[in-house]
């Protein structure tokens, strides 16, 4: 599987895999009340989702067949750039979400605590989408990615 | 000392100064002057000192003809940024989930919690980025100055 195909899979499969358990956990908690297991499920999914970019490094470390190169310096550079782009987008989203909410509600207002996990899910979706798109843009839309 | 090292030191001092002065001011207003906590948080106005970090491109500007940065500098910068933002993500999740866990799904929180999150995130990112940069280059001048 080429890096480009991985990026497409990450974009169309990875995002729902992360988002579905998070949203399910929020709705179950809203409907049936909060439990530690639900909280752990949601927090774990969200933390892992935001650090999913570490996967190629972990995979490379634990892979048995180290003679076959699947992640070279170019891939690493593209991956790092994509992660940085995602973090920049995440940071802008985070600041915008906090400041816009504060401006809309006013300094004396209050918000439902459920806004916080939903903000996280939004950040997670954005992060993974930007990472997938940045990888695809850098590898090129055609077949310039080099056959592996 | 390289340009990146100087910037990292400058940012580190600015962030620590801003945080230190804010905590001291809050302590004086709350414990010495006896103001309520809602008014004593005005001491955190010293966080504004962090704005000086935005002056680094001007303060540490280099001659246009000289080399601005090499591959090693870029690699260190990238590594420091990724470490800082990865840590920020974990803190962001914690900051969002802890109130939900403590208050419960039917609760409400003051909207002022959100700008605090932004300031906390900014401090964390700047602090970690500076520390990782200095750790990678070394904390002192090693005679490689550009």
């Amino acid at each position: 599987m080429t890096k480009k195909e991985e990026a497409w899979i990450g974009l169309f499969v990875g995002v729902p895999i992360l988002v579905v358990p998070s949203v399910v956990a929020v709705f179950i908690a809203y409907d049936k009340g909060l439990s530690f297991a639900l909280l752990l499920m949601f927090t774990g999914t969200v933390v892992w989702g935001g650090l999913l970019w570490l996967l190629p490094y972990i995979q490379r470390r634990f892979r048995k067949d180290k003679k076959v190169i699947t992640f070279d310096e170019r891939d690493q550079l593209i991956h790092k750039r994509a992660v940085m782009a995602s973090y920049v987008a995440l940071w802008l989203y985070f600041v915008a979400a906090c400041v816009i909410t504060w401006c809309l509600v006013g300094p004396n207002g209050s918000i439902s605590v459920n806004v916080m996990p939903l903000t996280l899910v939004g950040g997670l979706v954005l992060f993974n989408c930007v990472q997938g798109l940045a990888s695809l843009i850098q590898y090129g839309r055609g077949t310039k990615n080099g056959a592996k | 000392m390289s340009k990146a090292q100087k910037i990292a030191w400058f940012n580190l001092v600015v962030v620590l100064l801003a945080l230190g002065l804010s905590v001291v001011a809050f302590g004086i207003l709350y414990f010495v002057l006896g103001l309520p906590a809602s008014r004593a948080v005005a001491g955190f106005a010293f966080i504004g000192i962090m704005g000086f970090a935005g002056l680094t491109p001007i303060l540490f500007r280099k001659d246009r003809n000289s080399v601005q940065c090499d591959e090693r500098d870029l690699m260190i910068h990238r590594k420091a940024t990724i470490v800082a933002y990865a840590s920020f993500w974990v803190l962001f999740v914690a900051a969002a989930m802890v109130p939900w866990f403590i208050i419960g799904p039917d609760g409400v929180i003051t909207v002022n919690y959100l700008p605090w999150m932004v300031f906390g995130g900014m401090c964390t990112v700047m602090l970690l980025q500076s520390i990782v940069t200095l750790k990678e280059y070394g904390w002192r001048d090693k005679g490689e100055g550009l």
Side-chain angles (χ1 to χ4, degrees):
Chain A
M1 188 186 292
T2 63
K3 292 288 154 195
K4 196 180 157 190
E5 285 165 347
E6 277 180 22
W8 277 114
I9 288 173
L11 199 60
F12 289 108
V13 181
V15 173
I17 282 174
L18 293 168
V19 172
V20 169
S22 315
V23 175
V24 166
V26 171
F27 279 105
I28 292 174
Y30 195 72
D31 190 42
K32 296 190 174 174
L34 192 65
S35 69
F36 184 75
L38 271 178
L39 186 83
L40 202 67
M41 173 181 155
F42 179 80
T43 311
T45 309
V46 173
V47 169
W48 171 237
L51 299 175
L52 204 62
W53 55 271
L54 285 167
L55 195 63
Y57 302 103
I58 298 168
Q59 194 186 10
R60 195 171 53 170
R61 179 158 288 192
F62 291 104
R63 209 161 44 83
K64 285 177 183 171
D65 185 18
K66 290 189 175 177
K67 285 178 183 171
V68 182
I69 297 165
T70 54
F71 192 63
D72 60 13
E73 284 80 6
R74 179 174 165 263
D75 296 322
Q76 200 170 339
L77 191 64
I78 287 175
H79 185 64
K80 274 188 182 169
R81 278 186 186 159
V83 171
M84 275 188 74
S86 310
Y87 275 127
V88 169
L90 178 74
W91 174 255
L92 292 175
Y93 162 81
F94 166 66
V95 174
C98 289
V99 174
I100 290 170
T101 310
W102 190 70
C103 289
L104 287 175
V105 179
N108 298 319
S110 53
I111 52 165
S112 166
V113 80
N114 294 319
V115 171
M116 309 300 283
L118 292 174
T119 310
L120 272 182
V121 175
L124 190 60
V125 172
L126 182 81
F127 184 90
N128 285 291
C129 285
V130 173
Q131 196 188 336
L133 285 174
S135 296
L136 285 172
I137 289 166
Q138 287 181 88
Y139 279 113
R141 288 179 194 168
T143 51
K144 291 182 283 184
N145 56 322
K148 276 183 186 169
Chain B
M1 198 177 279
S2 71
K3 182 184 167 185
Q5 261 175 307
K6 287 176 191 168
I7 291 174
W9 267 116
F10 181 77
N11 284 343
L12 193 64
V13 169
V14 163
V15 173
L16 290 177
L17 190 71
L19 283 177
L21 284 176
S22 299
V23 171
V24 169
F26 175 79
I28 289 171
L29 291 173
Y30 187 69
F31 294 108
V32 180
L33 298 178
L35 291 177
S38 58
R39 290 185 66 193
V41 287
F44 278 89
F46 280 107
I47 286 283
I49 290 173
M50 278 169 58
F52 281 110
L55 294 175
T56 48
I58 299 165
L59 291 173
F60 300 100
R61 191 165 41 191
K62 283 178 78 173
D63 184 20
R64 275 188 178 185
N65 297 325
S66 64
V67 178
Q68 297 292 320
C69 61
D70 59 14
E71 285 81 2
R72 178 171 164 261
D73 295 323
L74 281 177
M75 203 181 276
I76 289 175
H77 177 68
R78 215 169 270 153
K79 187 176 181 182
T81 307
I82 286 178
V83 169
Y85 279 108
S87 309
F88 157 73
W89 172 254
V90 177
L91 279 178
F92 178 31
V93 175
M97 292 310 294
V98 167
W100 201 53
F101 185 62
I102 294 172
I103 303 169
D106 299 323
V108 288
I109 52 167
T110 170
V111 77
N112 291 325
Y113 183 71
L114 300 176
W116 283 107
M117 275 173 69
V118 175
F119 286 130
M122 200 163 75
C123 286
T124 307
V125 167
M126 283 176 67
L127 208 61
L128 284 175
Q129 203 172 16
S130 304
I131 289 170
V132 173
T133 304
L134 289 171
K135 190 182 167 291
E136 290 290 312
Y137 279 110
W139 292 80
R140 292 181 184 181
D141 188 7
K142 289 180 179 171
E144 79 233 323
L146 285 168

